[in-house]
Amino acid sequence: MRRIRANAIAILTVAWILGTFYYLWQDNKPQSSPSSAASQTRGRSHGQKVVPGRLEIHREDRTIPLILLGSFDEKAYLAGKQLKPGEDPYREHAFNLQESDRLGSERAIRDTRHYRCASLNYDTELPSTSIIITFHNEARSTLLRTIKSVLIRSPPSLIQEIILIDDFSSDPEDCQLLAQIPKVRCLRNGRREGLIRSRVRGANTASASILTFLDSHCEVNTDWLQPMIQRVKEDHTRVVSPIIDVISLDNFAYLAASADLRGGFDWSLHFKWEQIPIEQKMARSDPTQPIRTPVIAGGIFVMDKSWFNHLGQYDTHMDIWGGENFELSFRVWMCGGSLEILPCSRVGHVFRKRHPYDFPEGNALTYIKNTRRAAEVWMDEYKQYYYSARPSAQGKAFGSIAERLTLRRKLNCKPFRWYMENVYPELRVPEQEAVSSVLKQGGLCLETRGTDSLGLSECRGIGANRPQSQVRSLPLEGGCDSYTSKCVQGPFCKEMNYYFSNWFFFFFLQKWKPKGTALQHMVSGFCLDSQTPPGPPVITQCRPQMASQSWEPQVIT
Ligand code: UD2
Ligand code: MN
């Protein structure tokens, strides 16, 4: 009998111990997504009450009070602006507002990183950052979700502050009310400035040593910040971006973006995502490694504040939207920094098909002004490809670029050719035919005369009004005039034409290549010479220092 009782006590003790262990294990079991809806409800069923106005973090199945939302009344804020019955949910923001409002201010999203990212370690002591978010008439639900995702999914010690720049939205309260949330500051522009000047304003008041820029309709994902701050801490000249996941503009589903993409562009300065070049892809054994990128998309990146200032912030003569990402990207690469995308950092963004806001000067003119400024300051002779790809840019106003040229000189930045050769060799240079430039010496332009000769005369005309007779040129591949098929007068010219009178050889004979500032005729090895005293161009022995052999391509604008 005693034995039976002793056994029962032992069994009960073991059961109690096992039960306790099971309970603790359940409580500590990691969730597939730390912020998942499941974990929220389970957290609450443990008896913790959800206090209104309190933001909570759901980590390891426990609801940990993180930050008081202060006096901020989230419900009232969201209710203050709602879609009216019968209203088109896409009209105001170019995304489905109804769906965004329905989601509320925080939600679970899938951790879209490669699984190996989760086991990476970051320094325990990382510098904190100022988050800068500029917006113009953003929907309240998307803006609040952006802010709350930052507060929920970042280590609190890394968030120094969240600076909102309200770019003259119709309702000042959209921003002002949010400043009741601790760490959130609100600055309002007294007039519409555009995202470029707004970001500079935000950066100028930032108190942290690292700047983090976000669009106003994002959701940051698990551990998004640490990888970026770590890379910038290790080398302050790095400018880093996350992989930008897609938040559907229709149903707000959070979709993983491909991890094999980088930023690229075409000659009209149109941004595009493109596959990482195959050799780089083959060489990537570790999917957590950074991806070098020629340009960044522009909205979401982390940059050391002193490096941002040293490099000249942004070109503040750019208006509203567009082009600033090229200007920044060229400048970072050409002036001693680098750009990378970090696959272990993920941020969702609502990509839209149209701008939901107006451009005071018109969308097209603004984009042209901004990209023209980027091309004129940074692209050197390559800007001619920009003008050929975007002929409508010719002759359009873009303001003074003197300050930015001085900046470029002061920073001693590399030429665009270096960028082309070292950062973006995959960008193909267009064929000569597509180029609209003339060959110039002093104030004179090379021109065709009659049917088979060339001369030098005053440069005339702009854009499409350029006289057909003016000779087109390419600075890179030479080619004096294969376009009009005119021949340079000289000892070899007529003779060679006589022997190779068919078109193929004629074209071949007209091939030229640059030799310093001179143009060398590929077959003869001689150089194009305007003669001294000036006369009809001829080809003579190359003497690189001679002014009469010096030609510059002049883009017709
Ligand atoms: C992309 C970038 C964006 C910017 C732009 C080129 C991403 C995810 N987004 O366009 O950040 O680099 O390319 O310029 O890479 N805004 C203002 N004032 C204005 C206009 C816009 O504050 O006058 C705000 C707007 O509310 C938003 C941000 O600027 O928060 C970017 O504008 P967008 O979302 O319309 O640009 P997006 O994502 O098409
Ligand atoms: Mn955006």
Side-chain angles (χ1 to χ4, degrees):
M1 190 64 188
R2 253 167 101 189
R3 213 160 139 181
I4 292 171
R5 201 188 305 155
N7 277 348
I9 289 170
I11 288 167
L12 280 174
T13 311
V14 169
W16 180 77
I17 291 168
L18 285 176
T20 309
F21 271 121
Y22 179 71
Y23 177 82
L24 289 175
W25 174 74
Q26 272 289 307
D27 208 27
N28 282 312
K29 195 166 71 174
Q31 299 300 308
S32 58
S33 163
S35 53
S36 74
S39 73
Q40 289 179 28
T41 43
R42 219 174 302 143
R44 278 166 201 163
S45 71
H46 280 297
Q48 267 159 322
K49 251 196 17 229
V50 180
V51 183
R54 175 179 282 190
L55 183 61
E56 292 163 323
I57 188 164
H58 309 286
R59 192 179 289 152
E60 294 179 350
D61 202 23
R62 264 178 293 186
T63 306
I64 304 167
L66 177 68
I67 305 162
L68 286 172
L69 286 184
S71 51
F72 178 68
D73 185 344
E74 178 181 309
K75 269 207 183 106
Y77 179 75
L78 294 174
K81 276 249 187 76
Q82 295 239 298
L83 197 66
K84 293 174 192 72
E87 216 178 310
D88 173 4
Y90 290 84
R91 194 183 58 86
E92 223 179 312
H93 302 286
F95 56 65
N96 188 343
L97 181 62
Q98 193 169 16
E99 203 53 34
S100 174
D101 288 351
R102 201 184 58 79
L103 274 182
S105 66
E106 56 178 280
R107 58 149 167 179
I109 50 174
R110 188 164 71 85
D111 180 353
T112 49
R113 297 171 301 168
H114 190 279
Y115 71 91
R116 275 162 67 177
C117 294
S119 53
L120 294 185
N121 291 315
Y122 305 101
D123 293 357
T124 40
E125 293 285 309
L126 285 174
S128 68
T129 181
S130 297
I131 310 270
I132 297 169
I133 303 172
T134 175
F135 69 94
H136 176 71
N137 287 340
E138 182 60 69
R140 286 187 173 192
S141 52
T142 38
L143 181 57
L144 182 59
R145 210 160 34 244
T146 307
I147 295 168
K148 284 186 77 175
S149 76
V150 169
L151 292 173
I152 292 170
R153 298 201 187 95
S154 318
S157 62
L158 294 191
I159 307 294
Q160 171 82 20
E161 60 194 343
I162 299 179
I163 302 172
L164 304 177
I165 300 98
D166 169 6
D167 190 14
F168 202 53
S169 303
S170 321
D171 183 353
E173 289 206 330
D174 288 355
C175 186
Q176 283 160 6
L177 292 172
L178 290 170
Q180 293 164 351
I181 303 175
K183 291 197 182 182
V184 176
R185 294 169 51 199
C186 162
L187 308 175
R188 180 172 161 86
N189 291 340
R191 56 167 194 195
R192 180 87 175 279
E193 296 286 358
L195 72 91
I196 297 120
R197 287 190 288 278
S198 301
R199 279 185 195 159
V200 169
R201 185 173 176 206
N204 284 339
T205 72
S207 56
S209 63
I210 292 189
L211 307 175
T212 299
F213 295 94
L214 282 180
D215 271 11
S216 47
H217 32 259
C218 292
E219 279 168 80
V220 303
N221 209 322
T222 312
D223 292 344
W224 70 294
L225 197 52
Q226 296 93 316
M228 296 201 279
I229 294 190
Q230 177 83 43
R231 288 295 285 176
V232 174
K233 180 191 170 189
E234 284 166 6
D235 177 349
H236 75 284
T237 66
R238 288 177 187 147
V239 176
V240 300
S241 257
I243 289 185
I244 307 181
D245 284 334
V246 177
I247 300 172
S248 159
L249 63 94
D250 296 312
N251 60 14
F252 277 74
Y254 188 103
L255 309 163
S258 160
D260 288 332
L261 300 177
R262 63 174 195 175
F265 58 91
D266 62 22
W267 287 108
S268 68
L269 291 185
H270 172 81
F271 177 86
K272 58 183 182 184
W273 297 107
E274 61 181 31
Q275 289 289 326
I276 303 170
I278 190 76
E279 323 79 66
Q280 278 179 42
K281 209 160 156 177
M282 305 284 270
R284 274 176 72 78
S285 54
D286 180 355
T288 68
Q289 281 303 299
I291 298 164
R292 266 166 60 100
T293 185
V295 288
I296 50 170
I300 307 173
F301 63 97
V302 175
M303 186 166 182
D304 182 273
K305 185 179 170 179
S306 53
W307 184 237
F308 180 75
N309 290 336
H310 174 77
L311 283 190
Q313 302 188 321
Y314 269 123
D315 177 353
T316 50
H317 290 285
M318 289 187 175
D319 301 324
I320 306 297
W321 177 98
E324 93 293 343
N325 54 328
F326 298 113
E327 198 271 344
L328 179 79
S329 301
F330 298 159
R331 188 153 43 88
V332 166
W333 277 116
M334 289 161 64
C335 310
S338 62
L339 292 176
E340 50 192 39
I341 295 171
L342 305 184
C344 289
S345 177
R346 296 267 184 166
V347 174
H349 169 259
V350 186
F351 288 92
R352 294 178 284 204
K353 295 197 185 102
R354 64 172 172 88
H355 300 288
Y357 40 75
D358 64 307
F359 286 67
E361 308 290 327
N363 178 351
L365 275 185
T366 305
Y367 199 71
I368 281 175
K369 176 185 172 187
N370 294 353
T371 50
R372 242 196 117 165
R373 291 183 67 83
E376 285 289 339
V377 175
W378 296 102
M379 290 172 73
D380 302 331
E381 70 270 24
Y382 291 81
K383 70 186 177 192
Q384 65 184 300
Y385 305 123
Y386 162 77
Y387 286 114
S388 349
R390 205 179 265 281
S392 58
Q394 293 173 2
K396 298 271 165 39
F398 63 97
S400 164
I401 51 167
E403 271 173 40
R404 300 305 282 181
L405 289 173
T406 308
L407 171 80
R408 181 175 168 178
R409 224 168 300 123
K410 199 187 80 198
L411 292 172
N412 202 12
C413 307
K414 299 188 182 83
F416 197 77
R417 179 185 294 242
W418 174 89
Y419 173 87
M420 288 293 291
E421 285 165 1
N422 296 281
V423 181
Y424 203 10
E426 295 78 19
L427 180 61
R428 225 177 44 83
V429 171
E431 296 299 312
Q432 180 187 1
E433 276 69 20
V435 175
S436 179
S437 72
V438 296
L439 218 46
K440 200 174 156 194
Q441 190 176 83
L444 301 176
C445 280
L446 197 61
E447 234 182 52
T448 55
R449 297 258 168 82
T451 50
D452 64 353
S453 69
L454 288 166
L456 271 172
S457 51
E458 204 93 41
C459 301
R460 290 163 293 138
I462 51 161
N465 298 325
R466 176 182 71 91
Q468 266 300 305
S469 57
Q470 270 177 22
V471 172
R472 289 181 173 217
S473 71
L474 252 196
L476 294 177
E477 293 163 3
C480 167
D481 200 17
S482 56
Y483 180 70
T484 49
S485 309
K486 300 295 174 193
C487 177
V488 178
Q489 294 288 325
F492 302 97
C493 191
K494 280 216 164 99
E495 249 166 274
M496 283 196 277
N497 274 346
Y498 177 79
Y499 288 116
F500 305 106
S501 54
N502 77 53
W503 282 107
F504 174 76
F505 285 109
F506 191 85
F507 178 75
F508 180 67
L509 281 176
Q510 294 296 330
K511 279 276 182 194
W512 300 77
K513 65 177 183 196
K515 187 175 183 164
T517 59
L519 270 179
Q520 188 176 30
H521 186 231
M522 279 173 57
V523 175
S524 65
F526 278 34
C527 282
L528 186 68
D529 196 323
S530 65
Q531 307 186 78
T532 357
V538 292
I539 44 174
T540 58
Q541 197 104 44
C542 291
R543 271 160 296 178
Q545 305 312 327
M546 291 236 314
S548 63
Q549 287 192 0
S550 180
W551 303 90
E552 52 172 332
Q554 164 85 29
V555 177
I556 299 290
T557 58

